């Protein structure tokens, strides 16, 4: 590196000076970022929400959050009007607003459901056999489903051939996140026999201590391909807990919460839930694996959990529809996913050629991504005439733009 350090740096920029003027009480936003809220108060005011030790056998009969029942058998909840699986979108909106979730009855048809489950079980077995299984304290996870079966790309696109409730899910997701949202991740969450409960959390937790008070920034869609209940690890949920989070507000305090329930649902049901709802994987006390699959979706400027632009298989990308490419983050826009500045002029809409970053991924796949490095007017002809990938992307966008106009 060229040494451009001045011979005498002003004293105000010396690390010692900066440190001396940065006492804890003087720092910007320190109490907010360090508050640990609202999770800290959630645990202080609800000690039964403390996760179990993974070094000791799981304890039952002492009121742990995992030690519960389905809503209709729970003394606290059985008389409350908790969401029931339905195909009525009007009821779903009411349930979602009041309880933080709704249940879509037969969101997967019996055939879709069977194919979905079989694929998950086979894949889980294959990953075990290959020695690349991803095991959590709750059970095996199968990640990046898009590369592991045609139906999963269909689910991300809300294609009714893969998920018959697709159009309804798309409508609810558009309403919740605003159009233009992208897919955060799509993976199968296993609760294996003898596993531990997941610590209760909210899926938009990475935003904390910020809390979005109106709409969530993340919404989750859980595909339930086999019956779930209190025995086989039905998801633990505190119904309506999104409201306690909203009431706490950014950096605020969560007061006493009502108890958890285990989700009870028939195979084929889809759970659609608010990113602020407090929930976690339940404990599977049966002797068979239990899988659900979660597809979270987020605002298009957020960093996605799965880095699809790296992971999606080339053949799947080559066949992907504009909608799928958009949901995987291949449609750059001014504030997200630009590559060497390409995409800053993108509007984020499907098929906008000025946001299509496939050129870069294809160049990576072909091993000929040519990045722009240090240049000047007097750089060598070889450097100036190189087939830069960003130049290719710009030419492709111009051609696409013309095509769209004619
Ligand atoms: Fe979660």
């Amino acid at each position: 590196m060229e040494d451009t350090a001045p011979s005498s740096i002003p004293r105000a920029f010396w690390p010692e000076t900066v440190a001396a003027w940065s006492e804890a009480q003087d720092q910007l936003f320190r109490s907010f970022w360090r508050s640990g809220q609202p999770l800290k108060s959630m645990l202080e005011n609800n000690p039964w929400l403390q996760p179990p030790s993974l070094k000791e056998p799981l304890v039952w009969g002492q009121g742990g959050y995992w030690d519960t029942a389905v809503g209709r058998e729970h003394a606290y909840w059985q008389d409350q009007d908790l969401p029931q699986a339905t195909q009525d979108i009007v009821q779903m909106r009411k349930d979602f607003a009041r309880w933080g979730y709704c249940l879509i009855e037969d969101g997967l048809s019996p055939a879709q459901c069977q194919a979905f489950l079989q694929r998950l079980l086979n894949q889980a077995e294959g990953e075990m056999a290959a020695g690349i299984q991803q095991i959590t304290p709750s059970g095996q996870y199968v990640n990046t489903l898009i590369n592991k079966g045609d139906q999963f790309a269909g689910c991300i696109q809300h294609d009714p051939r893969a998920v018959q409730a697709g159009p309804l899910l798309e409508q609810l997701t558009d309403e919740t996140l605003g159009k233009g949202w992208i897919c955060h991740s799509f993976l199968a969450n296993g609760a294996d026999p003898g596993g531990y409960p997941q610590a209760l959390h909210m899926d938009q937790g990475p935003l904390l201590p910020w809390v979005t008070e109106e709409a969530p920034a993340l919404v989750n869609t859980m595909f339930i391909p086999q019956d779930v209940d209190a025995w086989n690890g039905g998801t633990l949920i505190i119904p309506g807990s999104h409201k306690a989070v909203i009431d706490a507000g950014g950096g605020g305090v969560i007061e006493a919460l009502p108890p958890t329930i285990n989700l009870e649902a028939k195979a084929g049901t889809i759970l659609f839930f608010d990113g602020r709802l407090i929930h976690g994987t339940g404990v599977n006390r049966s002797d068979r694996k239990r899988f659900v699959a979660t597809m979270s979706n987020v605002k298009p400027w957020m960093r996605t959990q799965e880095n699809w632009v790296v992971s999606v298989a080339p053949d799947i990308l080559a066949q992907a529809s504009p909608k799928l490419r958009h949901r995987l983050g291949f449609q750059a826009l001014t504030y997200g996913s630009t590559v060497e500045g390409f995409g800053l002029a993108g509007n984020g809409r499907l098929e906008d050629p000025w946001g299509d970053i496939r050129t870069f991924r294809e160049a990576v796949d072909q091993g000929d991504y040519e990045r722009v490095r240090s240049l000047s007017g007097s750089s060598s002809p070889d450097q100036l005439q190189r087939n830069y990938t960003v130049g290719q992307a710009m030419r492709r966008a111009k051609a696409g733009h013309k095509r769209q106009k004619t």
Side-chain angles (χ1 to χ4, degrees):
M1 197 174 86
E2 205 180 333
D3 184 4
T4 52
S7 51
S8 162
I9 295 175
R11 185 182 283 264
F13 301 153
W14 292 7
E16 311 78 295
T17 319
V18 173
W21 287 94
S22 303
E23 294 292 340
Q25 71 275 9
D26 298 327
Q27 291 180 19
L28 293 168
F29 311 114
R30 183 182 167 99
S31 61
F32 179 67
W33 292 126
R34 299 221 167 184
S35 67
Q37 296 292 18
L39 294 180
K40 190 169 161 230
S41 54
M42 181 181 89
L43 289 174
E44 281 167 1
N45 294 331
N46 302 275
W48 52 280
L49 284 179
Q50 196 63 44
S53 163
L54 302 179
K55 293 185 180 140
E56 287 159 32
L58 195 59
V59 176
W60 296 87
Q62 291 186 13
Y65 64 86
W66 57 91
D67 195 352
T68 185
V70 298
R72 70 187 164 80
E73 290 177 353
H74 196 295
Y76 179 93
W77 291 107
Q78 60 192 178
D79 298 326
Q80 305 248 15
D81 197 14
L82 292 183
Q84 303 294 315
T86 179
Q87 295 186 341
D88 176 356
I89 193 170
V90 176
Q91 184 60 43
M92 287 174 207
R93 291 190 184 105
K94 286 182 194 157
D95 289 341
F96 187 86
R98 180 172 176 197
W99 298 109
Y101 68 99
C102 60
L103 291 160
I104 300 153
E105 183 180 20
D106 293 326
L108 292 167
S109 73
Q112 289 170 343
C113 183
Q114 188 52 38
F116 196 107
L117 178 62
Q118 207 48 57
R119 192 72 281 284
L120 289 186
L121 293 172
N122 289 345
Q123 185 68 27
E125 197 181 329
E127 295 192 3
M128 284 280 204
I132 43 111
Q133 67 275 21
Q134 298 180 330
I135 304 293
T136 74
S138 301
Q140 184 177 1
Y141 274 33
V142 180
N143 282 289
T144 322
L145 291 176
I146 193 168
N147 289 340
K148 301 173 182 176
D150 294 341
Q151 62 268 64
F152 302 123
C155 291
I156 294 175
Q157 299 174 80
H158 291 142
D159 182 340
R161 288 170 298 182
V163 48
Q164 65 177 1
L168 182 148
L169 284 167
E170 186 160 277
Q171 177 66 30
L172 290 179
T173 311
D174 283 351
E175 290 175 19
T176 306
L177 295 176
K179 276 182 185 282
W181 52 268
I182 57 173
C183 189
H184 194 42
S185 62
F186 188 21
L187 63 145
N189 322 71
D192 290 350
Y196 286 87
Q198 191 180 26
L200 293 198
H201 63 280
M202 40 198 122
D203 286 339
Q204 72 172 55
L207 275 182
L208 297 176
W210 276 317
V211 169
T212 58
E213 294 188 17
E214 293 84 11
L218 177 152
V219 69
N220 205 334
T221 307
M222 181 187 284
F223 296 78
I224 303 171
Q226 60 191 117
D227 295 354
V228 295
D229 53 29
W231 188 245
N232 73 351
T235 303
L236 297 160
I237 291 175
I238 302 181
S241 50
H242 67 307
K243 286 190 174 166
V245 175
I246 295 166
D247 287 347
V253 169
I254 292 182
E255 306 291 350
L257 288 166
T260 47
I261 56 166
N262 282 111
L263 180 67
E264 178 178 42
K266 287 208 178 75
T269 307
I270 291 174
L271 167 70
F272 185 75
F273 65 107
D274 190 304
R276 300 164 294 190
L277 183 74
I278 297 170
H279 70 283
T281 305
V283 180
N284 184 355
R285 289 188 272 176
S286 78
D287 56 6
R288 292 173 55 204
K289 274 179 175 286
R290 185 239 64 177
F291 273 117
V292 296
T294 45
M295 184 178 82
S296 339
N297 294 309
V298 291
K299 298 293 287 180
W301 46 265
M302 282 165 69
R303 175 141 72 155
T304 56
Q305 185 169 41
E306 174 67 30
N307 195 340
W308 308 102
V309 175
V310 174
S311 61
V312 67
D315 58 307
I316 293 173
L317 179 58
Q319 292 161 20
S321 68
K323 189 194 263 187
L324 183 58
R325 294 200 308 264
H326 176 273
R327 292 184 182 179
L328 298 179
F330 280 90
Q331 199 66 46
L333 64 175
T334 310
Y335 42 83
S337 282
T338 65
V339 184
E340 295 191 62
F342 180 83
L344 284 170
N347 59 26
R349 297 208 189 101
L350 297 191
E351 296 195 84
D352 168 27
W354 288 101
D356 185 352
I357 59 169
R358 275 178 302 168
T359 311
F360 298 90
R361 164 60 198 262
E362 286 162 9
V364 169
D365 287 345
Q366 287 155 16
D368 59 7
Y369 183 3
E370 195 70 62
R371 293 169 179 85
V372 179
R373 306 301 302 273
S374 177
L375 289 176
S376 75
S378 55
S379 294
S380 69
D382 169 60
Q383 282 178 310
L384 295 176
Q385 285 158 22
R386 229 168 255 182
N387 191 13
Y388 290 110
T389 307
V390 69
Q392 291 175 41
M394 287 158 69
R395 288 191 293 277
R396 199 170 167 180
K398 263 185 209 152
H401 190 64
K402 261 191 210 142
R403 254 199 319 279
Q404 279 188 344
K405 283 199 144 175
T406 51

